[in-house]
């Protein structure tokens, strides 16, 4: 495996674990605000990010590549409003998309088709993640200022259940 591709894949493990920490922090924010449905939604996001980290981890191991785990940074944002959390989530997903695209481009440059195939799932997943984050913002803009509607949105988010990724390595 090309050294740059290996380095980027290894770094992505840490980035995915950071994403899980970030979403746990978001979940904690909403739990403190009494919005357990929103907290649930972000708790599931955190589970997904942990699974994504493990997919990168397993891919490198399957390719007989060394995995180096780094320290995971503590999320450091504070939020004044619920919408700030949702917007930070969308911005973070856009950032992760840029990271996946960077790895894909590096693999493309060295004709690492196996890594490109592995990343195809993540490219699609990031499209879904950005859409979900944007949809949540739209719903909050539409319903968040009305307490009854916010309650119903919170109930909707509380019904979300975890589904492990179905990527076969």
């Amino acid at each position: 495996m090309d050294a740059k591709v290996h380095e980027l894949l290894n770094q992505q493990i840490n980035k995915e674990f950071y994403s899980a920490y970030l979403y746990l922090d978001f979940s904690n924010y909403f739990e403190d605000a009494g919005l357990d449905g929103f907290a649930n939604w972000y708790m599931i996001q955190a589970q997904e990010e942990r699974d994504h980290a493990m997919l990168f981890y397993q891919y490198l191991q399957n390719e007989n590549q060394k995995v180096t785990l780094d320290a995971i940074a503590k999320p450091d944002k504070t939020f004044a409003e619920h919408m700030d959390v949702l917007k930070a989530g969308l911005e973070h997903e856009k950032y992760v998309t840029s990271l996946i695209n960077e790895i894909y481009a590096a693999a493309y440059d060295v004709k690492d088709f196996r890594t490109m195939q592995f990343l195809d799932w993540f490219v699609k997943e990031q499209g879904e993640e950005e859409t979900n984050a944007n949809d949540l913002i739209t719903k909050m803009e539409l319903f968040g200022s009305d307490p009854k509607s916010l309650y119903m949105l919170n109930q909707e988010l509380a019904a979300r259940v975890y589904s492990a990724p179905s990527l076969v390595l």
Side-chain angles (χ1 to χ4, degrees):
M1 179 179 286
D2 176 76
K4 181 179 180 183
V5 172
H6 174 244
E7 179 183 351
L8 290 171
L9 287 167
N10 201 81
Q11 288 173 359
Q12 193 62 29
I13 294 168
N14 184 264
K15 302 284 187 182
E16 296 291 340
F17 279 129
Y18 173 78
S19 295
Y21 267 39
L22 183 66
Y23 289 142
L24 282 174
D25 195 43
F26 290 4
S27 178
N28 198 35
Y29 166 88
F30 282 114
E31 194 66 43
D32 288 347
L35 293 168
D36 60 337
F38 284 81
N40 175 66
W41 199 88
Y42 280 110
M43 182 66 72
I44 290 172
Q45 285 299 109
Q47 289 175 299
E48 285 185 3
E49 301 305 341
R50 286 190 303 263
D51 279 353
H52 295 170
M54 293 308 298
L55 288 169
F56 282 98
Y57 178 91
Q58 188 64 56
Y59 178 72
L60 285 175
Q61 286 193 329
N62 289 350
E63 295 296 311
N64 296 312
Q65 298 295 313
K66 181 171 175 50
V67 173
T68 304
L69 300 175
D70 293 322
I72 301 168
K74 177 183 175 184
D76 61 355
K77 293 186 183 265
T78 56
F79 303 103
E81 298 179 14
H82 305 327
M83 184 61 85
D84 295 339
V85 179
L86 305 183
K87 288 181 178 179
L90 176 59
E91 288 310 307
H92 184 72
E93 288 301 337
K94 289 178 180 181
Y95 170 67
V96 172
T97 297
S98 75
L99 296 172
I100 299 297
N101 290 342
E102 181 181 358
I103 303 167
Y104 201 103
Y108 179 83
D109 288 345
V110 296
K111 295 182 176 32
D112 183 348
F113 301 113
R114 191 173 315 143
T115 297
M116 290 165 56
Q117 183 180 22
F118 167 71
L119 292 171
D120 283 342
W121 183 87
F122 288 94
V123 170
K124 181 177 183 279
E125 175 71 5
Q126 281 310 118
E128 292 173 8
E129 294 290 0
E130 286 185 33
T131 297
N132 290 340
N134 199 45
D135 288 351
L136 194 50
I137 289 169
T138 299
K139 287 178 181 180
M140 184 62 114
E141 287 172 343
L142 289 171
F143 309 118
S145 61
D146 174 55
K148 290 178 185 175
S149 297
L150 180 61
Y151 175 81
M152 290 174 56
L153 179 56
N154 189 62
Q155 293 302 105
E156 175 187 323
L157 298 177
R160 183 180 184 200
V161 295
Y162 180 66
S163 177
S166 59
L167 176 64
V168 177
L169 298 177

